[in-house]
Amino acid sequence: MKLYYTPGACSLAPRIIACEAGLEMEYDKVDLRTQTTASGRNFIKINPKGHVPALALHTGDILTEVPVILEYLADQVPAARLLPRLGSLERYRVREWVDFTGYELHKGFEPLWVAPMPPKARQLAVNHLQRRFAYLDGCLQKRAYLAGEHFTVADAYCFTVLSWARFHRLDLSPHAALAEYMLRVSARPMVRRALQAEGLVPQV
Ligand SMILES: N[C@@H](CCC(=O)N[C@@H](CS)C(=O)NCC(=O)O)C(=O)O
């Protein structure tokens, strides 16, 4: 398999899961500005939507969309317990967190990437995110990871998206449980490996 990624983008989540699951993976870096890959390919021909991640399978098929790629990778190695058994309530709980991350957090950050942004519009986007951070903080006061005591695909995605807070100078420290969660996830050996592979510095 080959993962098309951009350092620090949402494609970091599938890289974390590939590392956690011990999956063999090739990586090809995408320059989103020029839509070319480090191997010299036109990325639009690989994913006409023009965004990372994209996962090339052994069959030649290409999978896109973070939640689907995470689910596919986790299902390759059920023993890694990165996603509960198909049909179980626990699996829907993890999916609930993946969707929350995608719709509320990932998309919540999107306006902040648009530059330049009028200060009032930025403040609205920040307020929206702060409400989500407060909700997450409340949940994480009761458990180590989003869906319980086990790290799952939802944590890989949530951690990746929340790591953008620092770039946008959003302070997570008033949310103590959330800040601790970020440290807990970034201390995982496979998360550190994924961060280092993308030239990113683990927070601990
Ligand atoms: N719905 C997509 C969103 C992916 C996405 O937003 N990717 C960003 C990086 S985090 C990107 O490639 N943006 C560049 C672009 O859309 O042109 C998914 O879940 O995979």
Side-chain angles (χ1 to χ4, degrees):
M1 288 186 284
K2 185 192 275 190
L3 182 68
Y4 292 90
Y5 78 101
T6 298
C10 51
S11 45
L12 175 64
R15 183 194 284 265
I16 290 173
I17 291 306
C19 291
E20 290 274 352
L23 285 165
E24 245 179 66
M25 183 74 76
E26 283 177 55
Y27 294 92
D28 200 352
K29 185 157 126 184
V30 178
D31 181 334
L32 289 170
R33 200 174 37 84
T34 60
Q35 293 286 330
T36 50
T37 74
S39 61
R41 296 187 63 193
N42 178 354
F43 184 58
I44 288 294
K45 292 211 167 130
I46 297 159
N47 179 9
K49 290 181 272 192
H51 56 226
V52 290
L55 181 71
L57 307 181
H58 302 297
T59 54
D61 293 290
I62 302 285
L63 278 181
T64 62
E65 301 301 318
V66 176
V68 172
I69 293 175
L70 291 176
E71 188 168 354
Y72 180 84
L73 293 177
D75 280 342
Q76 302 310 300
V77 188
R81 299 177 70 193
L82 296 161
L83 196 54
R85 184 177 51 80
L86 195 64
S88 64
L89 181 61
E90 289 79 8
R91 182 149 175 146
Y92 294 109
R93 284 282 172 239
V94 174
R95 288 304 317 259
E96 206 172 16
W97 279 113
V98 168
D99 282 11
F100 176 83
T101 301
Y103 296 126
E104 303 298 330
L105 300 175
H106 189 166
K107 290 298 138 187
F109 268 97
E110 205 152 83
L112 301 186
W113 295 110
V114 181
M117 199 181 183
K120 271 192 183 163
R122 184 181 191 278
Q123 194 53 52
L124 284 175
V126 168
N127 292 349
H128 172 92
L129 281 169
Q130 290 290 0
R131 282 197 297 276
R132 271 60 189 166
F133 296 163
Y135 170 70
L136 277 167
D137 189 58
C139 296
L140 290 165
Q141 284 167 19
K142 299 173 209 129
R143 48 192 184 260
Y145 293 107
L146 292 175
E149 298 309 312
H150 285 289
F151 178 88
T152 68
V153 293
D155 298 295
Y157 191 16
C158 186
F159 168 80
T160 295
V161 171
L162 291 183
S163 66
W164 303 338
R166 203 151 54 145
F167 180 86
H168 292 292
R169 299 184 311 281
L170 303 184
D171 187 11
L172 295 182
S173 63
H175 308 290
L178 183 55
E180 271 173 39
Y181 166 79
M182 291 300 283
L183 292 176
R184 187 177 309 124
V185 175
S186 69
R188 292 177 69 84
M190 291 304 127
V191 173
R192 293 175 75 86
R193 177 178 290 184
L195 287 169
Q196 279 158 358
E198 297 202 358
L200 307 166
V201 185
Q203 288 175 32
V204 286

